[in-house]
mmCIF file of all heavy atoms in Angstrom:
data_model
loop_
_atom_site.group_PDB
_atom_site.id
_atom_site.type_symbol
_atom_site.label_atom_id
_atom_site.label_comp_id
_atom_site.label_asym_id
_atom_site.label_seq_id
_atom_site.Cartn_x
_atom_site.Cartn_y
_atom_site.Cartn_z
ATOM 1 N N LEU A 348 74.719 95.345 72.103
ATOM 2 C CA LEU A 348 74.382 96.687 72.575
ATOM 3 C C LEU A 348 74.607 96.714 74.103
ATOM 4 O O LEU A 348 74.979 97.710 74.681
ATOM 5 C CB LEU A 348 72.888 97.006 72.167
ATOM 6 C CG LEU A 348 72.579 97.160 70.719
ATOM 7 C CD1 LEU A 348 71.051 97.472 70.530
ATOM 8 C CD2 LEU A 348 73.415 98.251 70.026
ATOM 9 N N LYS A 349 74.140 95.703 74.756
ATOM 10 C CA LYS A 349 74.295 95.655 76.289
ATOM 11 C C LYS A 349 75.775 95.705 76.724
ATOM 12 O O LYS A 349 76.142 96.223 77.641
ATOM 13 C CB LYS A 349 73.565 94.485 76.852
ATOM 14 C CG LYS A 349 73.277 94.478 78.356
ATOM 15 C CD LYS A 349 72.336 93.455 78.742
ATOM 16 C CE LYS A 349 72.095 93.538 80.298
ATOM 17 N NZ LYS A 349 71.144 92.463 80.637
ATOM 18 N N ALA A 350 76.611 94.954 75.895
ATOM 19 C CA ALA A 350 77.986 94.887 76.283
ATOM 20 C C ALA A 350 78.640 96.168 76.085
ATOM 21 O O ALA A 350 79.536 96.571 76.895
ATOM 22 C CB ALA A 350 78.720 93.870 75.142
ATOM 23 N N TRP A 351 78.280 96.993 75.068
ATOM 24 C CA TRP A 351 78.903 98.323 74.989
ATOM 25 C C TRP A 351 78.400 99.241 76.088
ATOM 26 O O TRP A 351 79.136 100.278 76.403
ATOM 27 C CB TRP A 351 78.432 99.004 73.611
ATOM 28 C CG TRP A 351 79.076 98.271 72.404
ATOM 29 C CD1 TRP A 351 80.288 97.679 72.341
ATOM 30 C CD2 TRP A 351 78.620 98.257 71.075
ATOM 31 N NE1 TRP A 351 80.599 97.269 71.033
ATOM 32 C CE2 TRP A 351 79.528 97.584 70.315
ATOM 33 C CE3 TRP A 351 77.380 98.721 70.471
ATOM 34 C CZ2 TRP A 351 79.389 97.329 68.929
ATOM 35 C CZ3 TRP A 351 77.270 98.422 69.163
ATOM 36 C CH2 TRP A 351 78.170 97.836 68.427
ATOM 37 N N GLU A 352 77.360 98.893 76.689
ATOM 38 C CA GLU A 352 76.890 99.843 77.906
ATOM 39 C C GLU A 352 77.540 99.347 79.249
ATOM 40 O O GLU A 352 77.299 100.009 80.182
ATOM 41 C CB GLU A 352 75.315 99.748 77.860
ATOM 42 C CG GLU A 352 74.667 100.315 76.667
ATOM 43 C CD GLU A 352 73.183 99.967 76.692
ATOM 44 O OE1 GLU A 352 72.711 99.320 77.678
ATOM 45 O OE2 GLU A 352 72.408 100.320 75.683
ATOM 46 N N ASP A 353 78.122 98.177 79.161
ATOM 47 C CA ASP A 353 78.549 97.553 80.534
ATOM 48 C C ASP A 353 79.905 97.980 80.929
ATOM 49 O O ASP A 353 80.892 97.693 80.192
ATOM 50 C CB ASP A 353 78.479 96.061 80.341
ATOM 51 C CG ASP A 353 78.808 95.318 81.577
ATOM 52 O OD1 ASP A 353 77.882 95.308 82.498
ATOM 53 O OD2 ASP A 353 79.908 94.712 81.688
ATOM 54 N N PRO A 354 79.980 98.613 82.042
ATOM 55 C CA PRO A 354 81.356 99.143 82.503
ATOM 56 C C PRO A 354 82.348 98.019 82.654
ATOM 57 O O PRO A 354 83.564 98.220 82.294
ATOM 58 C CB PRO A 354 80.956 99.787 83.841
ATOM 59 C CG PRO A 354 79.498 100.022 83.802
ATOM 60 C CD PRO A 354 78.861 98.997 82.995
ATOM 61 N N ARG A 355 81.938 96.829 83.229
ATOM 62 C CA ARG A 355 82.886 95.839 83.467
ATOM 63 C C ARG A 355 83.344 95.165 82.123
ATOM 64 O O ARG A 355 84.501 94.974 81.928
ATOM 65 C CB ARG A 355 82.223 94.802 84.346
ATOM 66 C CG ARG A 355 83.192 93.512 84.654
ATOM 67 C CD ARG A 355 82.519 92.602 85.631
ATOM 68 N NE ARG A 355 83.415 91.519 86.061
ATOM 69 C CZ ARG A 355 83.084 90.525 86.862
ATOM 70 N NH1 ARG A 355 81.845 90.543 87.443
ATOM 71 N NH2 ARG A 355 83.986 89.662 87.152
ATOM 72 N N PHE A 356 82.525 94.889 81.244
ATOM 73 C CA PHE A 356 83.006 94.370 79.903
ATOM 74 C C PHE A 356 83.832 95.282 79.270
ATOM 75 O O PHE A 356 84.868 94.909 78.729
ATOM 76 C CB PHE A 356 81.657 94.060 79.077
ATOM 77 C CG PHE A 356 81.932 93.581 77.712
ATOM 78 C CD1 PHE A 356 82.192 92.178 77.469
ATOM 79 C CD2 PHE A 356 82.128 94.378 76.606
ATOM 80 C CE1 PHE A 356 82.520 91.763 76.277
ATOM 81 C CE2 PHE A 356 82.385 93.937 75.238
ATOM 82 C CZ PHE A 356 82.571 92.536 75.161
ATOM 83 N N CYS A 357 83.439 96.615 79.133
ATOM 84 C CA CYS A 357 84.226 97.638 78.463
ATOM 85 C C CYS A 357 85.660 97.738 79.036
ATOM 86 O O CYS A 357 86.630 97.991 78.355
ATOM 87 C CB CYS A 357 83.560 98.941 78.348
ATOM 88 S SG CYS A 357 82.097 98.878 77.300
ATOM 89 N N LYS A 358 85.772 97.618 80.456
ATOM 90 C CA LYS A 358 87.092 97.711 81.039
ATOM 91 C C LYS A 358 87.823 96.388 80.919
ATOM 92 O O LYS A 358 89.096 96.580 80.448
ATOM 93 C CB LYS A 358 86.798 98.133 82.480
ATOM 94 C CG LYS A 358 88.275 98.323 83.288
ATOM 95 C CD LYS A 358 88.007 98.650 84.732
ATOM 96 C CE LYS A 358 89.248 98.992 85.465
ATOM 97 N NZ LYS A 358 89.008 99.357 86.902
ATOM 98 N N GLU A 359 87.310 95.376 81.300
ATOM 99 C CA GLU A 359 88.028 94.066 81.366
ATOM 100 C C GLU A 359 88.271 93.492 79.942
ATOM 101 O O GLU A 359 89.320 92.879 79.755
ATOM 102 C CB GLU A 359 87.400 93.166 82.236
ATOM 103 C CG GLU A 359 87.267 93.535 83.764
ATOM 104 C CD GLU A 359 86.559 92.613 84.615
ATOM 105 O OE1 GLU A 359 86.143 91.528 84.191
ATOM 106 O OE2 GLU A 359 86.481 92.843 85.870
ATOM 107 N N ARG A 360 87.315 93.561 79.125
ATOM 108 C CA ARG A 360 87.420 92.854 77.757
ATOM 109 C C ARG A 360 87.978 93.791 76.753
ATOM 110 O O ARG A 360 88.680 93.386 75.967
ATOM 111 C CB ARG A 360 86.089 92.349 77.391
ATOM 112 C CG ARG A 360 85.481 91.288 78.438
ATOM 113 C CD ARG A 360 86.046 89.994 78.429
ATOM 114 N NE ARG A 360 85.373 89.081 79.343
ATOM 115 C CZ ARG A 360 84.375 88.354 78.912
ATOM 116 N NH1 ARG A 360 83.973 88.326 77.692
ATOM 117 N NH2 ARG A 360 83.816 87.442 79.826
ATOM 118 N N LEU A 361 87.497 95.020 76.774
ATOM 119 C CA LEU A 361 87.826 95.978 75.707
ATOM 120 C C LEU A 361 88.985 96.924 76.049
ATOM 121 O O LEU A 361 89.621 97.537 75.263
ATOM 122 C CB LEU A 361 86.640 96.820 75.307
ATOM 123 C CG LEU A 361 85.418 96.148 74.897
ATOM 124 C CD1 LEU A 361 84.300 96.997 74.433
ATOM 125 C CD2 LEU A 361 85.768 95.192 73.645
ATOM 126 N N GLY A 362 89.324 96.992 77.472
ATOM 127 C CA GLY A 362 90.438 97.780 77.827
ATOM 128 C C GLY A 362 90.150 99.219 77.825
ATOM 129 O O GLY A 362 91.010 100.060 77.615
ATOM 130 N N LEU A 363 88.810 99.593 77.985
ATOM 131 C CA LEU A 363 88.460 101.075 77.923
ATOM 132 C C LEU A 363 88.226 101.557 79.286
ATOM 133 O O LEU A 363 87.993 100.825 80.244
ATOM 134 C CB LEU A 363 87.064 101.040 77.129
ATOM 135 C CG LEU A 363 87.117 100.606 75.762
ATOM 136 C CD1 LEU A 363 85.737 100.741 75.072
ATOM 137 C CD2 LEU A 363 88.092 101.305 74.871
ATOM 138 N N ASP A 364 88.447 102.834 79.391
ATOM 139 C CA ASP A 364 88.267 103.493 80.738
ATOM 140 C C ASP A 364 86.840 103.694 81.035
ATOM 141 O O ASP A 364 86.552 103.878 82.222
ATOM 142 C CB ASP A 364 88.939 104.947 80.667
ATOM 143 C CG ASP A 364 90.512 104.801 80.589
ATOM 144 O OD1 ASP A 364 91.122 103.823 81.002
ATOM 145 O OD2 ASP A 364 91.063 105.646 79.970
ATOM 146 N N ALA A 365 86.003 103.715 80.121
ATOM 147 C CA ALA A 365 84.522 103.971 80.357
ATOM 148 C C ALA A 365 83.848 103.188 79.372
ATOM 149 O O ALA A 365 84.348 102.860 78.170
ATOM 150 C CB ALA A 365 84.220 105.505 80.216
ATOM 151 N N PRO A 366 82.469 102.889 79.522
ATOM 152 C CA PRO A 366 81.705 102.179 78.575
ATOM 153 C C PRO A 366 81.530 102.996 77.227
ATOM 154 O O PRO A 366 81.526 104.191 77.312
ATOM 155 C CB PRO A 366 80.341 102.066 79.289
ATOM 156 C CG PRO A 366 80.558 102.169 80.764
ATOM 157 C CD PRO A 366 81.730 103.165 80.826
#
Side-chain angles (χ1 to χ4, degrees):
L348 296 180
K349 196 169 182 179
W351 288 335
E352 298 171 2
D353 185 70
R355 183 174 179 178
F356 178 87
C357 289
K358 181 178 181 179
E359 295 181 1
R360 305 285 184 90
L361 304 181
L363 302 176
D364 294 330

